[in-house]
Amino acid sequence: MFDVRTAQSYINALKLIFVIEDMPAWNPNLRSKAAIRTNDTRYFVDPSIAVAALGIGPKDLISDLRTFGFIFENLCVRDLRVYAEALNGNVYHYRDSLGLECDCVIHLRNGQYGLIEIKLGGDKLAEEGAANLLKLRAKIDTDKMSSPSFMMVLTAVGNFAYRRKDGVYVVPVTTLKN
């Protein structure tokens, strides 16, 4: 039988020993009446913990792209948190009651922010990610807050980053350090 108190005590213990950490929800000013989901999203501090716990290797991940996508997202979140901290910023996520979501929102203390979708790669997934970012940008009430400083689809593959005609950047995770 599932005991909520026991599960919560395990989660708290994992937070205390820096195995998992929560990503809070971002709460922008929107033109839409959609309810913003405020539940935190939980990630491993290092995605290799999940890989080790599952006892899987590279071949297993390649043959199961859904699982690989979750592991890759966790890796990107970890990296984005490191880069955001260096800029005195935080990383959030966004989800609303109409199903619109954004994997990461980097928000700096000066009020600037960027919207990020994480995708394994390929033109189709990059297009889906960009469309999602553009939908969210259109919902933001720019009379009450600024427009995003950037919108980015963060991918696993590619040799270079580029800016699309609609202003969305497509960036391989390996180029973030540059």
Side-chain angles (χ1 to χ4, degrees), residues 96-108:
D96 68 24
S97 60
L98 299 176
L100 183 61
E101 55 183 63
C102 182
D103 294 324
C104 294
V105 178
I106 294 179
H107 198 274
L108 303 181

Side-chain angles (χ1 to χ4, degrees), residues 31-32 75 81 88 93 105 108 123 126 144 146 163 175:
R31 291 185 184 105
S32 168
L75 175 131
R81 282 181 163 163
N88 259 342
H93 72 89
V105 178
L108 303 181
D123 291 339
K144 296 181 179 175
S146 63
R163 184 175 184 205
T175 64

Side-chain angles (χ1 to χ4, degrees), residues 75-90:
L75 175 131
C76 291
V77 166
R78 180 203 60 192
D79 289 359
L80 290 170
R81 282 181 163 163
V82 170
Y83 295 130
E85 269 185 36
L87 299 170
N88 259 342
N90 293 303

Side-chain angles (χ1 to χ4, degrees), residues 7-175:
Q8 191 59 49
S9 71
Y10 290 157
I11 289 169
N12 289 337
L14 291 171
K15 286 179 187 177
L16 285 172
I17 61 173
F18 303 103
V19 172
I20 61 173
E21 59 186 344
D22 291 340
M23 180 191 299
W26 184 58
N27 194 359
N29 290 305
L30 299 179
R31 291 185 184 105
S32 168
K33 298 295 181 198
I36 298 171
R37 304 292 184 205
T38 58
N39 291 342
D40 292 350
T41 301
R42 189 163 290 126
Y43 289 97
F44 285 104
V45 294
D46 186 328
S48 65
I49 296 169
V51 173
L54 292 170
I56 57 178
K59 288 182 182 178
D60 299 313
L61 289 172
I62 296 296
S63 65
D64 182 358
L65 291 180
R66 183 171 166 81
T67 300
F68 185 42
F70 292 132
I71 301 295
F72 177 69
E73 181 176 331
N74 197 154
L75 175 131
C76 291
V77 166
R78 180 203 60 192
D79 289 359
L80 290 170
R81 282 181 163 163
V82 170
Y83 295 130
E85 269 185 36
L87 299 170
N88 259 342
N90 293 303
V91 180
Y92 300 93
H93 72 89
Y94 173 85
R95 284 175 184 67
D96 68 24
S97 60
L98 299 176
L100 183 61
E101 55 183 63
C102 182
D103 294 324
C104 294
V105 178
I106 294 179
H107 198 274
L108 303 181
R109 291 181 189 218
N110 65 6
Q112 291 182 310
Y113 65 95
L115 307 175
I116 303 167
E117 274 291 299
I118 300 169
K119 301 291 183 187
L120 279 175
D123 291 339
K124 182 180 179 211
L125 290 176
E127 186 62 40
E128 288 174 11
N132 204 45
L133 294 171
L134 293 167
K135 278 185 210 172
L136 179 54
R137 181 185 69 182
K139 287 180 124 180
I140 294 170
D141 187 344
T142 54
D143 292 333
K144 296 181 179 175
M145 67 185 296
S146 63
S147 293
S149 298
F150 69 91
M151 295 176 291
M152 174 173 63
V153 177
L154 188 58
T155 67
V157 296
N159 296 321
F160 55 88
Y162 62 94
R163 184 175 184 205
R164 296 164 32 116
K165 290 180 183 176
D166 56 16
V168 175
Y169 291 94
V170 178
V171 179
V173 69
T174 55
T175 64

